[in-house]
Amino acid sequence: MSRNTLITEPLQIPPLETVQGHILHDQKRFPGASGEFSWLLSGITLATKMIQAKIRRAGLTDILGATDDVNPQGEVQQKLDVYANQVILQCLSFRESIGILASEENERPLTLPQRTGQGKYAVIFDPLDGSSNIDVNVSVGTTFSVLRRPETSSNDDVASWLLQPGCKQVAAGYVVYGSSTMLVYSVGNGVHGFTLDPAIGSYILSHPNIRIPEQGKYYSLNEANLADSPAGYTRFVERLRSGGLGQRYSSRYIGSMVADFHRTLLKGGIFLYPPTTEHPDGKLRLLYEANPVAFIAEQAGGLATDGTQRILDLQPTSVHQRTPLIVGSPVEMAEVERCLRATGGTSS
Ligand code: AHM
Ligand code: MG
């Protein structure tokens, strides 16, 4: 009897693809791939599983609330901001291919000197985006962007590693800690979503090849700021409210960029954080908020601009620089562009 005849029934277990399996499979397309990149991404998946475990128990342990510190933008740091930051730094600092880590919560990028000569990648991240929502049990997220060291850069030339336009990202994505925990990422060949199965502790492919709908039903922005933004944004929102695009839109705003963007990606529509009087350059940060989201949006068939230019073409000048962010489905993006052009200006 051959060994195969021992299996007499077809298997009843549905096929599962873990994120690790998916990355390894993807890597086979690149001859000579060393596996470093999948090891790097496994640092992100491990860290985000640790973060979600803490978030899931947030009301039960002493982790809610603010610390006495502020971050580089002068915003009060939440205890969970600090925890999430430390976990990501810790998990990624063991990945030999990473030479530089930069975070919203650290004024200066962290160089990993022991990697002199070896570091190939820089990882830039916002460890816990939307953390002001955490005390009231609303979804938050982690965003990340991976850049390759430019061939001509020396190891300690931190600026040339980090200040690359978003079109140079080799991978980017986010984790949304919502009703389930979901990882959405792209290495430049489409967008894939993985839902964490808490029973087995693995991210499982649940949303292969995500495409943003051509048009959606929702727009998403902080409407309290609308009067403080350039007139084109008011005109655009009025068009959406009045049925100017063939239907009346509903408004949805969580105030957690990752959650608002995730809905926009799956359902279509548009997310906007325009310039305001308080934030004339926009509020969101280019390198670790706008760039990853813009990369995912474009890979899924959407668009992302700062009101004038494609986000992924913006040349960064500093690590924590802010930008307006308008991202979404092709139909709404074309309309907002028309409204901004017609009113002649994008600055507040
Ligand atoms: P954070 O990185 O400090 O959490 O700030 C970013 C958050 C985004 O998630 C969200 O889109 C925005 O701030 C909400 O700001 P506002 O309260 O002004 O609408
Ligand atoms: Mg943030």
Side-chain angles (χ1 to χ4, degrees), residues 212-216 218 233 236 240 245 249 261 264 268-273 294 297-298 301-311 324-341:
I212 192 169
E214 269 300 293
Q215 183 175 7
Y218 304 123
Y233 292 101
F236 172 63
L240 300 180
L245 271 74
Y249 280 72
F261 173 71
T264 307
I270 190 163
F271 168 82
L272 311 95
Y273 209 111
E298 287 200 5
L303 295 143
T305 74
D306 68 351
T308 311
Q309 286 188 71
R310 180 182 177 225
I311 290 286
L325 174 65
I326 327 296
V327 57
S329 294
V331 169
E332 289 86 349
M333 290 298 291
E335 182 64 17
V336 72
E337 202 180 297
R338 257 194 302 278
C339 292
L340 292 173
R341 262 203 320 268

Side-chain angles (χ1 to χ4, degrees), residues 114-280:
Q114 71 274 30
R115 303 288 150 69
T116 307
Q118 289 180 46
K120 228 191 232 177
Y121 299 107
V123 182
I124 315 174
F125 56 93
D126 179 354
L128 206 60
D129 181 64
S131 56
S132 65
N133 283 314
I134 206 77
D135 288 3
V136 292
N137 221 335
V138 170
S139 302
V140 288
T142 295
T143 52
F144 61 90
S145 164
V146 183
L147 292 163
R148 201 190 303 272
R149 177 175 70 165
E151 272 175 19
T152 49
S153 289
S154 64
N155 284 301
D156 50 4
D157 186 1
V158 176
S160 74
W161 280 49
L162 295 178
L163 303 182
Q164 303 186 59
C167 56
K168 300 275 189 194
Q169 293 171 104
V170 292
Y174 60 82
V175 172
V176 57
Y177 310 102
S179 42
S180 61
T181 298
M182 195 169 159
L183 165 72
V184 175
Y185 89 100
S186 176
V187 290
N189 65 338
V191 176
H192 307 288
F194 300 80
T195 301
L196 182 68
D197 182 340
I200 58 172
S202 294
Y203 283 106
I204 304 292
L205 182 63
S206 53
H207 294 64
N209 294 313
I210 297 173
R211 302 298 296 168
I212 192 169
E214 269 300 293
Q215 183 175 7
K217 289 189 299 200
Y218 304 123
Y219 68 90
S220 184
L221 85 167
N222 185 341
E223 301 207 42
N225 295 336
L226 198 50
D228 295 332
S229 293
Y233 292 101
T234 309
R235 177 187 282 218
F236 172 63
V237 171
E238 275 164 8
R239 294 264 304 145
L240 300 180
R241 286 179 188 154
S242 64
L245 271 74
Q247 57 175 7
R248 289 171 86 96
Y249 280 72
S250 286
S251 156
R252 294 276 189 282
Y253 188 65
I254 297 168
S256 254
M257 181 198 68
V258 172
D260 280 314
F261 173 71
H262 187 63
R263 182 195 53 250
T264 307
L265 180 71
L266 296 187
K267 300 283 183 193
I270 190 163
F271 168 82
L272 311 95
Y273 209 111
T276 62
T277 318
E278 190 188 349
H279 295 296

Side-chain angles (χ1 to χ4, degrees), residues 20-175:
Q20 233 45 53
H22 189 82
I23 297 164
L24 287 171
H25 180 78
D26 237 23
Q27 245 178 213
K28 293 203 183 114
R29 294 183 309 121
F30 304 103
S34 60
E36 279 173 341
F37 191 65
S38 64
W39 179 229
L40 182 160
L41 277 180
S42 78
I44 295 175
T45 56
L46 173 61
T48 56
K49 284 189 234 175
M50 292 171 71
I51 295 167
Q52 76 87 34
K54 199 63 132 184
I55 288 172
R56 298 293 175 218
R57 303 193 67 236
L60 304 171
T61 55
D62 182 30
I63 193 74
L64 290 178
T67 65
D68 295 331
D69 294 323
V70 291
N71 70 10
Q73 285 83 38
E75 297 154 350
V76 175
Q77 281 181 318
Q78 306 293 311
K79 289 183 198 166
L80 266 167
D81 283 327
V82 175
Y83 175 80
N85 194 39
Q86 285 176 359
V87 165
I88 297 179
L89 290 175
Q90 175 79 329
C91 290
L92 291 186
S93 60
F94 287 108
R95 266 57 186 171
E96 300 79 5
S97 61
I98 301 176
I100 298 181
L101 291 165
S103 162
E104 173 175 346
E105 302 301 332
N106 296 110
E107 176 139 30
R108 299 229 309 253
L110 197 86
T111 49
L112 300 165
Q114 71 274 30
R115 303 288 150 69
T116 307
Q118 289 180 46
K120 228 191 232 177
Y121 299 107
V123 182
I124 315 174
F125 56 93
D126 179 354
L128 206 60
D129 181 64
S131 56
S132 65
N133 283 314
I134 206 77
D135 288 3
V136 292
N137 221 335
V138 170
S139 302
V140 288
T142 295
T143 52
F144 61 90
S145 164
V146 183
L147 292 163
R148 201 190 303 272
R149 177 175 70 165
E151 272 175 19
T152 49
S153 289
S154 64
N155 284 301
D156 50 4
D157 186 1
V158 176
S160 74
W161 280 49
L162 295 178
L163 303 182
Q164 303 186 59
C167 56
K168 300 275 189 194
Q169 293 171 104
V170 292
Y174 60 82
V175 172

